[in-house]
Amino acid sequence: MTPAASGHVNMVIVIAVVLSAILEVLDSTIVNVALPHIQAAFGATTDQATWILTSYIVSAVVIMPLTGFVARRVGRRRLILTAVTGFAVMSMMCGMSWSLEVIVAFRLAQGMFGAFLIPLSQSILFDAFPREKRGQAMAIFGLGVVVAPVLGPTVGAILTEYFSWRMVFFVNVPVAALALLLLAGELPEDKTEEVQIDWKGLALLALGIGCLQFVLDQGETLDWMSSRVIQVAVIAAVIGALGFIFHALTSRISVVDLRLFADRNFALCNLIIAGFAVSLFGGIAILPTLVQSLLDFPVIASGHLFIPRGLTAGLSMVLTGAVLVNRFDPRLLAGIGLLLTAVGNFMMGAINLNAGFWELAWPGAISGLGMGLVFVPMSILAFESISKGRQDEASGLFNVTRQLGSSVGISLVGTWVVRGLQTNTAVLSQNVTPYNPAAQAYLSPLGLAPDSAEGAAILGQEIMKQAEMISYLTVFNNLGLLALATIPLLFFCRAPKPGSHVAAHVH
């Protein structure tokens, strides 16, 4: 009898796998704040420096769907121990990098090892908890997967400001060492299978997902379809995706079993978590730039903005997993969570250039409450009918969907801000002339005239600020509408079976 089946929860394993999950998701956001410092250290352009982020995400997204296949072949214990060790080593190498090319290469390898950590942590937690406590398992997992990236910018800002950009990589090493020690001592050996390698499916999957992630990461920088590189990447992504789907549905073996999506709840929950990720992480991605470039917040203060969101998200995760999922329909909880996410975005869409700390922090705190209400019920509904043997594979697909959703969100908001800035600047400029009374009134206290060189320069700067602010407000409102548009999908999910609200899957 397993510990979970006997009702006993091995908290050492729980702590170990949560630490493993935190390693991967924290590293996806902690580096963002340090990026300008890394760029300066290596004399790189902004476009070149983004590869430090892109290389990690692309490799992680490509490898993550393979978790179930690799776990069956080498064993779950051996795989997670190897992944944690490799992640720690690559983190050290990133921190010791001496050039942009070197750190990009190490980030690529770091993402490959990190890709296994989230799905494996989730499936190990499933097994560590008995059925009646699966909601608690998802709450604990959510604390690592969802709260850690929210607090990433705060941790990154502190380490960069008071130490060095290299510390955002070195900080992974002691966390990995503790996780490795706990896992090696407590995680039991498991059986392996002689699984035939699907090289064709693996190549098509890597081509499709890798090129899609590249398009999402670099599309705005390269001006989307006006770039020949993006055109080729889009064609390659379509060929890879369609080729993999056809291969997976017709081949005797497949590296990923797409039949998992025949389960209605699993398919719908993947769509919902993707929409939620777009709405949530899209807003998180642009907030530091907004407050630093337009509102003149220092780096540390911009990092502190995420603390209230992280605290409410953690509270929401624990409360939802320990109490609410036992008493309410998970679909209702997820709907409320999506509504709170929308409200937080709409509140951000109503700020102005004079917004202070709490005017920016409160919307994040409200969105944070929605995080636990969405993530925990969605995980429960998605895995309700997934058997134990397909658990690793389903977890890999679910987390890839979440990651792709966040990538789409980051890509969308970047495009909306840039395009909105261009449009808004043109519209505002048409109304600001030397004969406009508002322009004259604005410059009069400064003793300047609109038709003077200095007056025109000040008006131009103000137009740019206002145009950029309108762009940001439009983005937040769009993200709020997206969160609302996701809610109707919940009505098509099957209701949980009586007494199974806390079941993550059926054995």
Side-chain angles (χ1 to χ4, degrees), residues 148-165:
V150 171
L151 295 178
T154 303
V155 178
I158 294 172
L159 292 175
T160 303
E161 182 74 14
Y162 295 112
F163 298 98
S164 163
W165 65 263

Side-chain angles (χ1 to χ4, degrees), residues 381-432:
L381 287 172
F383 292 92
E384 186 189 15
S385 300
I386 303 298
S387 64
K388 182 177 180 180
R390 307 171 82 186
Q391 177 179 293
D392 289 334
E393 193 166 14
S395 181
L397 289 173
F398 189 70
N399 283 285
V400 165
T401 303
R402 176 184 56 80
Q403 178 63 61
L404 286 175
S406 65
S407 296
V408 169
I410 294 169
S411 179
L412 271 180
V413 298
T415 300
W416 285 342
V417 168
V418 172
R419 301 292 166 86
L421 176 60
Q422 296 169 352
T423 302
N424 296 330
T425 300
V427 172
L428 292 177
S429 297
Q430 291 174 358
N431 299 314
V432 180

Side-chain angles (χ1 to χ4, degrees), residues 1 104 120 137 177 223 225 269 340 405 408:
M1 180 178 291
V104 167
L120 287 176
D223 199 21
M225 295 305 290
C269 287
L340 290 173
V408 169

Side-chain angles (χ1 to χ4, degrees), residues 9-44:
V9 177
N10 188 332
M11 291 307 299
V12 175
I13 291 181
V14 170
I15 294 171
V17 296
V18 170
L19 287 175
S20 301
I22 287 174
L23 274 175
E24 199 280 332
V25 294
L26 184 64
D27 221 71
S28 64
T29 59
I30 193 175
V31 180
N32 294 34
V33 178
L35 201 60
H37 296 264
I38 302 174
Q39 179 182 337
F42 295 141

